Amino acid sequence: MTGLILIATISALLEDPLLPERWREMALGFSRDKVVGSTEGTKADPQQESLRLLGEMIFHSNEISGEGERSCATCHDPDKAFQDRQSHPRGAQGIARDTPSLWGVGEQRWFGWDGRWDSLWAQALEPIEAKQEMDSDRLLLLRWIAADSERKKLYESNFGKFPDMAGVPERARKGEDWNPEFLRLPQKKQQELNRAFSNAGRAVEAFERRLVPPRSAFDEYLEALASGDAEKAAQYPVDARRGLIIFLDQGRCVFCHNGPLFSDGEFHDTGLISAGSSARDSGRYGGIMELRANPFNLLGDYSEDSQSTAADRTRRLKRDSRMWGAFRTPGLRGVSQTAPYFHDGSRIDLGEVVRFYSRRQNARPVHQGAGHHGERLVEPLGLTPTEESLLEQFLKTL
Ligand code: HEC
Ligand code: HEC
């Protein structure tokens, strides 16, 4: 008898659209109010707005790419959740990495799957000069800004006088190497040009910080939870609600996928065996080395925040072999639109992702204790096919 009553109580709790309190509190942690740069109901500061506008121009311009046919938006397409549903080779190693969506990116602490950038402005500089991406150059970019009076005005209203480009060579780089003519410029001149390049990155950052994920069915549900509106909460699909409970409870997903973006911003080894050329991808391990070597990191000459907490995080970084194969937890807002999945783009739909976590076929054993939770969290969950499907339906409402 008692057993029956218990089962009845549990199922009544599961049927409550407002959720039992413990899960409700956890779910409210996903609330979008906290997303940085949220424009809802706020008026933009005009200075910041002029910087954002310049950033938007840079982001969308093909003219700044080496061949004149690519922009940031080619791969981060606003109509495709600011990604392109593809993977791209990067760097000299030609390792394939999936293009991440940029929705809510301003909320992150580290950028890139391996966190090899510690600021958004520094991140923006690399694709411009990378051969595999835009194959352009800092000097082409600066000339492009100077060539148009509006762009130049936007630049100068934020950063003061634009550098004099007389006597400056066409390009700072020749393929992978530096152009000797650029290196022959006086040190001070090179620094002035590099600083202007970093400022162009700051404009792109101002644009990216406003890329707030669109409102979803789940956001409506969270509002209903926050205000205790059972009627509105009941409009959220029952299967998605059950999937949410799995996400919070037996799936343990929330340990890494938490906060308004569903990302803890940290690095974990999920035991994924990377596909193809990405098998050599060292993830966070290599990312830390690259971050340290980058002259545009927060500790470098072009940083304006070398005393900030963000810079402190970079200063304190320690590389550890257990970081090999760890990647930054991706955010999950809009995830139904951002296939393929994982850093190597190896899973084509959310069903495959969920089955990876549930059954862990084709997974390596993970290094114990690599992340700050110890990756015991990624043992097979052994969900039933129905539970897998509920979890997938929940993810689709984000
Ligand atoms: C050829 C395609 C391509 C182009 C062009 C491109 N990107 Fe990306 N972008 C990628 C890929 C792939 C990654 C993942 C790189 C990694 O983690 O190693 C990425 C990563 C990023 C990230 C990090 C996102 C995160 O969640 O940490 C930002 C921000 C970004 N790109 C902005 C830009 C900007 C700004 C430009 C233009 C200046 C640009 N991208 C041009 C493909 C591209
Ligand atoms: C130990 C931390 C951790 C746990 C627990 C975890 N994840 Fe992840 N998740 C990650 C990391 C790290 C990645 C990126 C892995 C990679 O690309 O190599 C990821 C990737 C994903 C992706 C792909 C997103 C994209 O844009 O490519 C989805 C979807 C996802 N996880 C859902 C879940 C679900 C559902 C659960 C629970 C069943 C879960 N995760 C549990 C850390 C975690």
Side-chain angles (χ1 to χ4, degrees):
M1 194 59 193
T2 356
L4 270 183
I5 294 174
L6 195 65
I7 290 172
T9 324
I10 290 176
S11 49
L13 279 177
L14 289 180
E15 291 322 314
D16 177 4
L18 291 176
L19 300 179
E21 192 177 338
R22 190 169 68 93
W23 288 331
R24 183 164 65 236
E25 289 302 315
M26 283 168 93
L28 287 173
F30 299 127
S31 181
R32 64 185 277 117
D33 309 346
K34 297 170 206 127
V35 179
V36 173
S38 174
T39 48
E40 288 160 13
T42 58
K43 239 187 144 88
D45 148 19
Q47 183 74 40
Q48 197 60 24
E49 188 49 27
S50 73
L51 189 59
R52 192 198 67 81
L53 194 61
L54 178 62
E56 185 168 20
M57 291 171 171
I58 297 174
F59 192 88
H60 284 102
S61 172
N62 288 342
E63 290 165 12
I64 57 169
S65 73
E67 303 283 335
E69 55 188 23
R70 264 196 186 173
S71 68
C72 311
T74 310
C75 298
H76 301 283
D77 181 346
D79 294 331
K80 293 181 182 155
F82 288 93
Q83 48 101 48
D84 59 357
R85 312 208 169 111
Q86 284 179 38
S87 298
H88 292 278
R90 58 156 288 260
Q93 299 170 315
I95 285 170
R97 292 238 181 111
D98 178 56
T99 311
S101 161
L102 301 185
W103 273 338
V105 70
E107 186 77 10
Q108 293 288 358
R109 283 190 284 273
W110 309 105
F111 304 93
W113 286 100
D114 55 7
R116 70 183 182 285
W117 299 288
D118 55 6
S119 73
L120 270 176
W121 64 262
Q123 190 289 325
L125 308 180
E126 189 179 290
I128 294 173
E129 294 194 326
K131 253 194 126 32
Q132 321 252 28
E133 293 179 77
M134 291 162 75
D135 194 19
S136 183
D137 193 280
R138 63 196 68 185
L139 299 180
L140 287 186
L141 172 67
L142 293 180
R143 282 214 172 73
W144 176 83
I145 294 175
D148 175 89
S149 59
E150 195 195 346
R151 293 193 290 257
K152 193 167 169 188
K153 210 171 94 201
L154 289 172
Y155 178 96
E156 293 192 328
S157 70
N158 283 284
F159 303 111
K161 201 168 159 22
F162 198 84
D164 180 5
M165 301 298 284
V168 172
E170 270 309 298
R171 301 196 66 153
R173 288 173 169 274
K174 283 194 162 163
E176 303 285 326
D177 299 321
W178 290 101
N179 177 358
E181 282 179 64
F182 176 72
L183 297 181
R184 275 199 294 274
L185 290 173
Q187 200 65 27
K188 241 181 117 193
K189 186 72 192 172
Q190 287 181 40
Q191 281 181 349
E192 186 195 2
L193 295 165
N194 290 341
R195 174 160 298 277
F197 183 42
S198 74
N199 288 339
R202 289 183 176 92
V204 175
E205 166 165 354
F207 168 69
E208 291 172 323
R209 285 195 173 277
R210 292 261 157 172
L211 303 179
V212 177
R215 285 183 69 83
S216 63
F218 184 64
D219 291 315
E220 300 290 326
Y221 180 56
L222 285 180
E223 269 184 19
L225 285 188
S227 62
D229 183 342
E231 208 173 305
K232 186 173 170 192
Q235 288 167 16
Y236 185 64
V238 179
D239 285 352
R241 173 156 43 87
R242 293 193 177 132
L244 163 65
I245 294 172
I246 298 173
F247 192 90
L248 297 173
D249 198 67
Q250 81 213 83
R252 300 189 289 254
C253 316
V254 71
F255 284 101
C256 302
H257 295 282
N258 52 43
L261 291 183
F262 295 80
S263 166
D264 62 358
E266 289 302 328
F267 300 83
H268 303 277
D269 179 7
T270 59
L272 181 82
I273 298 176
S274 303
S277 64
S278 301
R280 290 168 289 128
D281 199 331
S282 67
R284 185 57 171 154
Y285 186 79
I288 291 180
M289 288 201 294
E290 288 187 52
L291 174 56
R292 288 222 182 103
N294 188 344
F296 293 107
N297 69 27
L298 287 178
L299 307 178
D301 290 348
Y302 306 100
S303 169
E304 282 162 8
D305 321 281
S306 58
Q307 298 311 316
S308 64
T309 39
D312 267 342
R313 277 197 291 268
T314 301
R315 207 171 276 122
R316 287 197 312 262
L317 274 181
K318 283 204 181 68
R319 197 166 49 123
D320 178 323
S321 62
R322 286 174 306 175
M323 289 165 181
W324 189 278
F327 293 88
R328 196 194 67 202
T329 310
L332 301 180
R333 282 188 168 272
V335 71
S336 64
Q337 295 171 58
T338 64
Y341 302 106
F342 290 144
H343 71 273
D344 58 353
S346 61
R347 298 303 189 277
I348 59 164
D349 59 34
L350 287 171
E352 285 194 2
V353 173
V354 168
R355 286 191 295 279
F356 168 80
Y357 282 111
S358 176
R359 307 175 195 180
R360 305 200 48 79
Q361 285 161 345
N362 277 330
R364 287 180 283 108
V366 295
H367 309 291
Q368 287 295 322
H372 58 276
H373 303 308
E375 309 306 23
R376 280 169 288 108
L377 290 172
V378 287
E379 280 158 13
L381 298 169
L383 302 175
T384 65
T386 312
E387 288 167 334
E388 288 173 1
S389 148
L390 295 174
L391 194 49
E392 187 182 341
Q393 290 181 62
F394 162 65
L395 293 173
K396 286 185 174 158
T397 67
L398 302 182

